[in-house]
Amino acid sequence: MEQVIKKLQEEIYFALNKKDWSLQTMADFCGVSRGELGNLLNRGQKDIKLSTLVKIADGLGKPISTLVGNE
């Protein structure tokens, strides 16, 4: 599971840099809280709700498999 979270973090950081978004902008665009994204990125959260993952994937316009790897 840690590899999945790490891959998700990498994809989020990539999108933040590519789109030049703040964490708040990304959270608003994806429909999740800034705190939730912050916890995922900064605290190495060990799990994530599927509904949150779906919102992030939809907000970034990517399939879930791209965000978590093809495991």
Side-chain angles (χ1 to χ4, degrees):
M1 183 64 165
E2 288 181 39
Q3 291 174 343
V4 171
I5 296 295
K6 184 174 178 164
K7 173 70 172 157
L8 178 58
Q9 290 170 329
E10 290 170 1
E11 289 291 330
I12 292 171
Y13 279 124
F14 179 77
L16 283 169
N17 290 326
K18 183 178 180 184
K19 296 176 184 276
D20 196 30
W21 280 352
S22 68
L23 191 60
Q24 183 64 57
T25 300
M26 177 174 264
D28 291 344
F29 194 80
C30 293
V32 297
S33 72
R34 183 183 139 316
E36 199 164 16
L37 272 182
N39 286 340
L40 177 64
L41 294 174
N42 299 324
R43 295 187 185 163
Q45 186 172 325
K46 300 290 185 208
D47 66 31
I48 184 170
K49 292 179 187 176
L50 181 58
S51 60
T52 302
L53 184 57
V54 168
K55 288 177 183 179
I56 293 170
D58 287 347
L60 297 179
K62 293 186 173 192
I64 292 173
S65 61
T66 301
L67 296 180
V68 298
N70 294 323
E71 294 184 12

